[in-house]
Amino acid sequence: MARLLPARYPSSMPSLGLAVSGGGDSMALTWIAHRWARDRGVTLRLATVDHGLRPEAAKEAAEVAAFASRLGLSHDTLHWQGWDGRGNLQDAARRARRRLLSAWAAEQELGAVLIAHTADDQAETFLLRLARGSGVDGLSAMREARQEGGLLWLRPLLGVRREVLRDLLRTQGLGWAEDPSNADPRYDRVRMRQALPALGALGLTVERLSDTAARLAEARDALAVQAALAARLLLRVEAGDVLVDLAGLAAEPVEIRARLLSAALCWVSSAEYRPRRAALDRLLADLARGAGGTLHGCLVAERHGVARIGREPRAVLGLRRAAPGVWDHRWRVFGPDCDELEIGALGSAGLLQRPRWRESGLPRRTLLAQPALWQGQRLIAVPVLEPGGAWRAELVGGEDAFHSSLIPH
């Protein structure tokens, strides 16, 4: 804890959150964090996510609440009811945990949230991603501190083995819950966990795998800096689209090309994860021969040596929300108070109501995905076509947000 958390905790973050499942790792972190927070006058708040997937989960959450009460700590149980039985259960559960904890942290005005990932988790993740053919970024170590969604996530136990934490609990006479899914070989992570002893006998120990992941993280960060420098020279933002100098892009190493294109696609679409490398390589090849395509919710077109990466109009078709507000996760639209207006894509129906749209100089495909103000089927305002009007639309964070996205935080 002392390596990550300062001896004098910032007064701007007087409260700290802790995600506690009831398992050995998070229960040990609770004990450690409680002592750290108590000595520094920091308020510690606990939360348990009940995914509703096992009948025992409610009982385990209640046991965590009782443990928190014995320590004099507050505790909340967060419920997930979003599983529809399709897709990757563990991935869906992980995403749900992050969303629920983020909302809880914002409501509690927490400065950061601690999560109990260990050295074993680091090694298992490395093997999982190696099996999937991941590159430098995928194989890199999890960060001890990561800013995401406006919240600081801290992993103070990444250098600690899982069994060390259980020894701590045994010494303190504390119990923990065992999730049976952690021993279910149907899950890839469990198979990697079960393979670790055999790999360790070959020299591929948890410590060695974690060290390798850490070195790859250093390479990842160096590549990210190079990509950010190249982006300042080769990429610019116009009306929410990213414009790419293709000749300059072609002169960059393949890895930098992929990073730049991936960053542009993720920023335009507000996607959490990068597209697969094979899809990126195909798009780069298409652009090199003067073609375009669609990928990751974006429309990519080439003209006069410049690639324009914009929002795919179909991806925002029918997407409406009350005005003013944030639309498509990246446009902040504001203007006069009016309860009857909605923000939606301009679309072809909107262009028909603005016949002089060509005077903007923007491509039709760009305009189709622009935010507009609607009253039912009647178009009220199009900020990009009426810059001096009562309604305005700004990219959240502006162009700097795009360039910042190239550097992992």
Side-chain angles (χ1 to χ4, degrees):
M1 292 289 293
R3 283 192 307 114
L4 271 184
L5 301 176
R8 184 168 297 173
Y9 199 66
S11 59
S12 60
M13 296 195 300
S15 298
L16 190 66
L18 174 54
V20 190
S21 67
D25 301 340
S26 62
M27 290 293 280
L29 179 56
T30 301
W31 177 257
I32 296 167
H34 166 60
R35 294 167 65 87
W36 178 92
R38 181 192 60 194
D39 293 344
R40 290 162 177 80
V42 174
T43 299
L44 189 65
R45 301 183 185 279
L46 275 54
T48 302
V49 177
D50 180 354
H51 298 91
L53 300 173
R54 297 184 297 114
E56 302 89 355
K59 179 175 179 290
E60 290 165 5
E63 289 172 348
V64 174
F67 179 56
S69 179
R70 291 201 301 274
L71 297 178
L73 303 175
S74 71
H75 175 270
D76 294 297
T77 299
L78 314 177
H79 297 275
W80 179 46
Q81 299 174 330
W83 175 241
D84 58 6
R86 295 180 294 181
N88 184 316
L89 172 58
Q90 289 200 326
D91 182 60
R94 181 185 62 79
R95 292 180 186 232
R97 276 196 302 276
R98 193 59 64 93
R99 287 195 302 271
L100 288 168
L101 288 167
S102 293
W104 169 75
E107 181 180 315
Q108 299 292 328
E109 298 182 343
L110 303 178
V113 171
L114 298 173
I115 43 183
H117 289 139
T118 66
D120 297 78
D121 292 308
Q122 191 83 277
E124 292 161 12
T125 300
F126 179 88
L127 292 175
L128 277 169
R129 293 176 177 175
L130 183 65
R132 294 170 186 166
S134 295
V136 172
D137 284 20
L139 296 175
S140 297
M142 290 184 281
R143 295 180 182 276
E144 292 180 326
R146 178 177 175 81
Q147 194 81 30
E148 184 179 297
L151 180 64
L152 181 62
W153 300 86
L154 299 177
R155 298 182 177 102
L157 301 180
L158 283 178
V160 182
R161 291 296 306 273
R162 188 174 289 140
E163 193 56 33
V164 170
L165 297 176
R166 280 152 177 73
D167 286 343
L168 169 66
L169 293 174
R170 295 185 189 103
T171 300
Q172 298 298 327
L174 301 173
W176 66 88
E178 290 287 0
D179 184 342
S181 69
N182 288 333
D184 189 338
R186 289 178 299 174
Y187 296 115
D188 291 342
R189 180 173 291 276
V190 173
R191 290 196 293 273
M192 295 303 174
R193 185 174 300 153
Q194 293 171 342
L196 277 170
L199 292 173
L202 299 174
L204 295 173
T205 62
V206 166
E207 291 79 9
R208 182 65 55 82
L209 293 172
S210 296
D211 287 345
T212 299
R215 285 192 287 273
L216 285 167
E218 294 172 356
R220 171 197 62 200
D221 292 347
L223 287 167
V225 169
Q226 288 302 115
L229 292 172
R232 292 286 181 183
L233 297 173
L234 304 176
L235 279 61
R236 63 185 178 89
V237 175
E238 180 183 73
D241 294 351
V242 177
L243 277 59
V244 186
D245 174 355
L246 289 176
L249 185 71
E252 294 290 336
V254 173
E255 176 65 22
I256 300 301
R257 278 182 251 163
R259 285 174 179 273
L260 292 176
L261 185 59
S262 175
L265 291 166
C266 287
W267 184 72
V268 169
S269 65
S270 299
E272 182 179 358
Y273 294 106
R274 295 172 55 169
R276 293 189 179 277
R277 181 58 184 265
L280 277 175
D281 289 343
R282 286 194 295 271
L283 182 55
L284 282 166
D286 288 342
L287 287 171
R289 60 183 179 83
T294 57
L295 181 62
H296 227 46
C298 297
L299 181 62
V300 185
E302 186 276 341
R303 189 167 185 264
H304 301 318
V306 174
R308 179 181 285 269
I309 302 173
R311 196 69 162 110
E312 187 178 4
R314 287 185 300 177
V316 291
L317 185 66
L319 177 62
R320 291 207 175 188
R321 65 144 297 157
V326 175
W327 180 78
D328 195 25
H329 302 291
R330 65 191 193 115
W331 286 105
R332 180 172 286 111
V333 181
F334 49 97
D337 289 335
C338 183
D339 295 335
E340 301 177 355
L341 299 187
E342 291 182 310
I343 311 166
L346 179 59
S348 55
L351 285 181
L352 290 174
Q353 298 184 48
R354 291 294 187 274
R356 298 177 63 180
W357 62 264
R358 290 177 179 83
E359 295 176 7
S360 70
L362 293 170
R364 183 176 186 274
R365 57 182 172 272
T366 293
L367 290 173
L368 290 174
Q370 288 291 309
L373 283 302
W374 292 88
Q375 188 175 50
Q377 300 304 309
R378 178 175 168 238
L379 182 63
I380 302 300
V382 189
V384 72
L385 296 179
E386 301 147 6
W391 286 91
R392 289 180 291 165
E394 295 178 353
L395 290 163
V396 175
E399 184 169 350
D400 285 344
F402 166 65
H403 290 287
S404 177
S405 72
L406 287 150
I407 303 294
H409 297 284

